[in-house]
Amino acid sequence: MQIRGVLIPLMAGFTALAAMPAEAKKGASEAVRITSEAARTMSQEAAGTGAADTTITVDRVQVTAIKQGPVLRSTAVASSILGSREVERGGISALKQIAAAVPNLHAPDYGSRMTSSIYVRGLGARIDQPVIGVNVDNVPLMNKNAFDTELADIERIEVLRGPQSTLYGRNTMGGVVNIHTLSPLTYEGVRLLAEYGSGNTLRLKASTYYRPRPDVGFSVTGFYTRSDGFFENEYTHRTCDREWQAGGRWKVQWDNGRGLRLDNTLSLARLEQGGYPYAYAGEAIVEEGETVLRPGQIAYNDPSGYRRTTISDGLTLRLDRERYSLSSITAWQYLDDAMTLDQDFTPLSYFTLRQAVREHALSEDLILRSRGEERYGWLVGAFAFYRHQRMEAPVTFKRTGIERLILDNANRMPDLLRYGIEADELPLLSAFRNPTWGAALYHESRLRLGRWLLTAGVRVDLERTQLQYHSQADLDYTLSISGGKPSAHHIAIDDTDRLSNTYFEVLPKVTALYAFDPMRNLYLSIARGSKSGGFNTQLFSDLLQERLQNAMLSGAGEQSSERMSYRPEYSWNFEFGGHFSCLDGAVRGDFALFWIEVSDQQLTVFPEGQATGRMMANAGHSRSRGAELSLQASPTHDLTLNVAWGYTDARFVHYRSGTEDYAGRRIPYAPQHTLSARATWSRPTGIEWLGEVVVQAGVEGAGPIAWNEQNSLTEPFYALVDASIRFEHRRWSIGVWGRNLTGSVYNVFYFKSIGHEFVQRGRPRTFGLTLTLNID
């Protein structure tokens, strides 16, 4: 099944390539050269000198801008664009690293690369459904476990904020990140990168781009990264956040010069890491007069880590005619990962978890849209996907966990009943099959009336998800009544059942934009977004534990299905914003004001008491309001200033949990402010072989962040300073850099486990050296 999933798009691509007559390819080289030059020229005219790497205005060579317009700043959307030059100079190698440059986007770096928590405008989630979609070369990543991976040879990154559900569907109510990789039709040569930094961190990358014929391009990219990590587990005396990963990408593109194009990308990656440098944040834990865990200490005894294998293949076919464009995006994705946790994160033997997931996903997106400058434009599309996931999530109680979490609860009346368990381990086994399919039809109409551009769209989405689970536990225990002789008892739980949910969504969006000129406008938008519902698979260990305890106490352990699933989340987004440019493009920027009403907001919570699992709960009604500003200024030819600021006030309107009323409290984990300010100075050295010198300095920050629904714990606003100096030549570059230069101490995550509090510190001060080579 794996091989077939990869070969189907590849065979289709090469069959189309082989079938093209030679006459269709004649002169394509000149067409590509002219098109590339036109793109560069028009981009500079539209966005100002120096912006050619961040704005693509002509869509002829690469298969890009399939759904949104080719110039984002002329559309009614809040967007941020990072070009290849900004990505390279900033050392951006992962999705989390772009957050600082985007207003109201927060992607904390904690746990493992499975975590991938992203918050936008007060919306987000720590587990399960993401609030933002990620597309790589037009192909959507279907599982957020794969979001945090190495980014190699990036041409540009587009971040669209606000609901994009009408065009992109489920789980994009916070926005979309579109990542475009370098095209072998626009670049030919070899690229090499080597980087070494603090924590014995090494990054290596090599790629070759080759055009055997004017209309066909191939590229092969490989990468390897490793790090010893920065945080030590004092129990094992080894760093717990060490990692290595390796992978590659093979890409083929073909353009017949007459409107027909093909883009096929095969990617694979392997990752292994320790992860989970969670420091204890409560009162000291004392056992038999001995302190076993102190505040601020990272110390746990059972192995923890994460490994992941991903393979994906995406085929994009596009046919451009004078009046319309037809595109097909077909993808197959495979994910095989496993998370191992010492889930109590203490030196005591409470319990461990191993969660192993194997998933196949198929998706197809068909888009038909109008072309040209007519007053009326339109787009229609159809999308379908199928995901099949198998997961095993056994929780194993160790001796301390058996005594504290099971026997202590059972022996609450020691004079009457006395329970005993001799086993040193108690496995609670859970296995799941989760097939999910969905289909959607969507449409968008655009009407231009003089300076006005009016847009209306709607998406009709249908999703069906099932959970087939098998829960199993066997327990031998003894029971003594009123001090009598203990008698042996046995409990066996072996449950198999099936749950299913169907979701039907109608997701409209309307916008109105008034353009003063091509680069200055104001807009108003209203859009509905949604995030899929799901099942609380990580809660099944708690449910099994409850059933065992109930069976021990009363002889009956009934299964409750109320907490096994959670509902979809919905939002209405009201936004007013604009794009501006003045002083002949020397100053340009974007701003937005937004108000978001959210119903059934999904929150990751830990059940009350000494719970072992976590679950998704729906929080009733909340609202988020705020503002965003991005500004780029070039006061001189050598100096560029960039500022990105976001403000979000996200609060519960109606949310009760037990006896607690959280109305008016801030939503946890979403920062109130995000800030990035950066200055870049570049000047030719006057020495031909040395090129130009580039000096960058910047500061980024976030906060305050509420860590719980009560808002009793808060992370203050923190700021991180970075700087770099590079020498850039057309064929090579070398630079030194430093991050968190002031050594700020800050927390990026907080949580509770069995009543104990933990935090993860942000990364310390780091330095590094980066060398790149470009061989034409």
Side-chain angles (χ1 to χ4, degrees):
M1 183 175 179
Q2 300 175 25
I3 296 175
R4 179 177 176 84
V6 175
L7 288 181
I8 289 175
L10 287 176
M11 293 174 62
F14 283 115
T15 300
L17 181 60
M20 291 298 109
E23 292 80 7
K25 304 182 181 76
K26 185 177 180 181
S29 177
E30 184 67 16
V32 168
R33 185 191 66 78
I34 293 173
T35 301
S36 301
E37 198 62 40
R40 228 174 357 256
T41 303
M42 293 182 66
S43 173
Q44 291 170 345
E45 291 175 353
T49 303
D53 67 339
T54 59
T55 303
I56 305 298
T57 60
V58 177
D59 178 29
R60 291 292 300 167
V61 175
Q62 295 196 73
V63 185
T64 60
I66 286 179
K67 291 186 177 181
Q68 75 272 4
V71 186
L72 288 175
R73 300 191 77 247
S74 65
T75 58
V77 64
S79 60
S80 300
I81 306 173
L82 286 75
S84 59
R85 185 169 59 185
E86 188 171 358
V87 169
E88 183 176 342
R89 288 177 175 178
I92 295 174
S93 61
L95 184 62
K96 290 178 179 177
Q97 294 173 315
I98 73 172
V102 180
N104 280 325
L105 179 65
H106 182 57
D109 186 10
Y110 70 88
S112 70
R113 287 182 179 261
M114 173 187 176
T115 308
S116 303
S117 297
I118 301 176
Y119 301 89
V120 186
R121 296 179 171 181
L123 309 177
R126 285 165 39 202
I127 62 173
D128 292 353
Q129 316 298 343
V131 74
I132 195 166
V134 177
N135 302 307
V136 180
D137 289 335
N138 299 305
V139 175
L141 299 184
M142 300 298 292
N143 192 319
K144 86 176 189 70
N145 288 12
F147 280 10
D148 191 2
T149 189
E150 182 76 8
L151 303 180
D153 285 1
I154 300 303
E155 182 194 71
R156 73 186 188 278
I157 302 173
E158 306 165 347
V159 183
L160 284 61
R161 299 184 301 283
Q164 306 300 319
S165 303
T166 301
L167 293 183
Y168 293 95
R170 63 199 295 274
N171 301 338
T172 60
M173 61 187 294
V176 165
V177 178
N178 292 321
I179 301 172
H180 300 281
T181 61
L182 189 61
S183 166
L185 289 179
T186 59
Y187 174 82
E188 192 170 10
V190 175
R191 296 161 61 93
L192 303 172
L193 178 145
E195 180 178 279
Y196 183 77
S198 303
N200 196 24
T201 300
L202 176 68
R203 288 179 60 216
L204 299 174
K205 187 197 69 177
S207 56
T208 179
Y209 293 77
Y210 176 57
R211 212 162 58 226
R213 294 191 302 199
D215 55 350
V216 178
F218 296 90
S219 68
V220 178
T221 301
F223 65 85
Y224 171 79
T225 68
R226 69 168 307 279
S227 175
D228 286 346
F230 300 94
F231 301 95
E232 180 185 350
N233 181 346
E234 296 183 29
Y235 187 91
T236 62
H237 301 290
R238 295 185 62 193
T239 53
C240 48
D241 57 331
R242 61 193 178 279
E243 72 168 26
W244 71 265
Q245 63 174 328
R249 180 176 68 234
W250 181 54
K251 188 171 187 176
V252 56
Q253 288 187 318
W254 170 74
D255 186 336
N256 75 345
R258 297 185 302 178
L260 182 61
R261 283 171 284 174
L262 174 150
D263 184 337
N264 195 100
T265 303
L266 172 66
S267 302
L268 56 93
R270 171 72 178 187
L271 164 74
E272 292 189 12
Q273 65 178 145
Y276 315 110
Y278 297 144
Y280 183 59
E283 299 292 333
I285 298 177
V286 180
E287 293 288 326
E288 298 179 355
E290 181 181 351
T291 300
V292 297
L293 193 60
R294 302 183 307 273
Q297 188 179 16
I298 301 172
Y300 50 86
N301 59 322
D302 286 308
S304 294
Y306 179 63
R307 63 132 182 101
R308 181 181 68 201
T309 300
T310 56
I311 307 173
S312 68
D313 190 79
L315 171 67
T316 302
L317 292 169
R318 179 165 175 174
L319 176 65
D320 286 335
R321 289 293 180 251
E322 182 179 357
R323 301 182 64 85
Y324 69 88
S325 174
L326 176 64
S327 301
S328 168
I329 305 169
T330 308
W332 168 79
Q333 296 168 49
Y334 171 74
L335 180 140
D336 181 358
D337 72 350
M339 173 182 65
T340 304
L341 283 180
D342 178 339
Q343 207 166 358
D344 57 272
F345 299 106
T346 73
L348 303 174
S349 296
Y350 274 92
F351 58 103
T352 62
L353 164 70
R354 176 177 170 79
Q355 177 179 291
V357 174
R358 181 169 294 179
E359 178 181 287
H360 294 267
L362 291 168
S363 63
E364 172 63 34
D365 205 353
L366 291 172
I367 306 102
L368 179 66
R369 64 180 298 172
S370 62
R371 301 187 70 210
E373 299 298 325
E374 287 82 2
R375 174 178 296 185
Y376 174 70
W378 49 267
L379 178 150
V380 293
F383 176 77
F385 77 93
Y386 176 77
R387 294 173 60 184
H388 190 276
Q389 182 183 97
R390 291 179 178 268
M391 181 168 70
E392 296 181 353
V395 170
T396 302
F397 279 78
K398 301 298 185 72
R399 190 62 217 175
T400 306
I402 293 172
E403 293 174 353
R404 304 289 175 78
L405 303 179
I406 297 178
L407 289 179
D408 285 357
N409 286 327
N411 292 324
R412 286 174 292 184
M413 296 181 292
D415 294 337
L416 298 176
L417 303 175
R418 188 68 181 178
Y419 294 87
I421 299 175
E422 297 297 328
D424 290 329
E425 291 189 352
L426 172 60
L428 305 181
L429 306 179
S430 297
F432 309 94
R433 291 182 60 194
N434 183 203
T436 303
W437 63 265
L441 296 173
Y442 56 96
H443 169 73
E444 183 179 83
S445 289
R446 301 177 303 278
L447 179 63
R448 189 174 298 277
L449 300 174
R451 296 181 179 271
W452 288 93
L453 176 62
L454 307 178
T455 304
V458 66
R459 185 185 188 99
V460 179
D461 224 325
L462 177 66
E463 182 175 332
R464 174 75 172 178
T465 181
Q466 291 183 340
L467 182 71
Q468 303 170 29
Y469 66 86
H470 182 197
S471 299
Q472 188 176 6
D474 286 274
L475 174 63
D476 291 302
Y477 68 95
T478 60
L479 173 61
S480 174
I481 301 176
S482 300
K485 182 180 178 180
S487 58
H489 296 264
H490 177 73
I491 300 174
I493 298 175
D494 193 340
D495 287 339
T496 300
D497 205 348
R498 176 180 300 180
L499 305 173
S500 62
N501 289 313
T502 301
Y503 309 117
F504 179 76
E505 318 290 353
V506 178
L507 305 170
K509 182 175 183 177
V510 294
T511 69
L513 180 143
Y514 182 83
F516 300 96
D517 56 46
M519 300 306 293
R520 295 187 299 169
N521 54 62
L522 296 173
Y523 68 85
L524 179 68
S525 72
I526 303 173
R528 189 172 192 254
S530 75
K531 208 163 56 152
S532 297
F535 302 101
N536 281 315
T537 54
Q538 295 194 23
L539 190 65
F540 272 70
S541 62
D542 270 7
L543 299 178
L544 270 174
Q545 180 186 343
E546 290 176 4
R547 291 193 65 190
L548 286 174
Q549 292 176 351
N550 292 336
M552 290 170 63
L553 296 173
S554 64
E558 296 184 358
Q559 183 82 303
S560 171
S561 61
E562 293 181 0
R563 295 177 291 170
M564 290 184 181
S565 63
Y566 55 90
R567 300 184 301 276
E569 177 180 325
Y570 304 99
S571 71
W572 280 101
N573 187 92
F574 306 88
E575 183 174 333
F576 171 73
H579 311 285
F580 59 89
S581 176
C582 57
L583 300 178
D584 295 326
V587 177
R588 56 187 179 273
D590 316 277
F591 76 92
L593 305 172
F594 60 87
W595 184 293
I596 307 173
E597 294 287 336
V598 182
S599 58
D600 290 328
Q601 182 161 11
Q602 297 169 3
L603 292 178
T604 306
V605 299
F606 290 87
E608 294 295 328
Q610 293 187 326
T612 61
R614 54 183 178 173
M615 60 180 288
M616 191 74 79
N618 294 96
H621 181 199
S622 61
R623 68 106 181 101
S624 180
R625 60 188 179 190
E628 299 168 351
L629 175 65
S630 298
L631 184 66
Q632 181 177 12
S634 301
T636 69
H637 180 73
D638 302 327
L639 181 64
T640 301
L641 305 175
N642 288 276
V643 176
W645 168 76
Y647 167 77
T648 297
D649 181 29
R651 297 178 182 270
F652 296 113
V653 177
H654 302 295
Y655 178 33
R656 296 187 67 92
S657 179
T659 60
E660 293 270 8
D661 185 356
Y662 298 123
R665 308 287 177 87
R666 294 189 182 278
I667 295 173
Y669 299 100
Q672 186 176 357
H673 294 273
T674 63
L675 174 66
S676 172
R678 184 167 306 281
T680 304
W681 178 83
S682 61
R683 175 170 292 183
T685 61
I687 304 173
E688 194 279 333
W689 63 268
L690 197 56
E692 65 176 353
V693 59
V694 180
V695 179
Q696 280 192 328
V699 60
E700 59 187 58
I705 303 172
W707 291 129
N708 55 17
E709 287 82 0
Q710 297 90 340
N711 293 178
S712 59
L713 298 170
T714 302
E715 183 69 19
F717 182 89
Y718 60 85
L720 310 175
V721 177
D722 65 84
S724 66
I725 181 169
R726 291 164 52 94
F727 289 94
E728 294 183 351
H729 187 269
R730 185 175 66 87
R731 296 186 179 276
W732 60 269
S733 70
I734 186 170
V736 294
W737 48 264
R739 295 168 186 155
N740 191 10
L741 293 177
T742 59
S744 296
V745 178
Y746 60 103
N747 298 317
V748 292
F749 185 49
Y750 164 91
F751 71 100
K752 278 187 176 183
S753 178
I754 57 172
H756 296 152
E757 298 177 295
F758 296 89
V759 297
Q760 179 171 335
R761 307 289 188 194
R763 293 201 177 190
R765 183 187 295 113
T766 56
F767 298 95
L769 172 70
T770 305
L771 171 67
T772 66
L773 296 176
N774 298 312
I775 305 171
D776 296 335

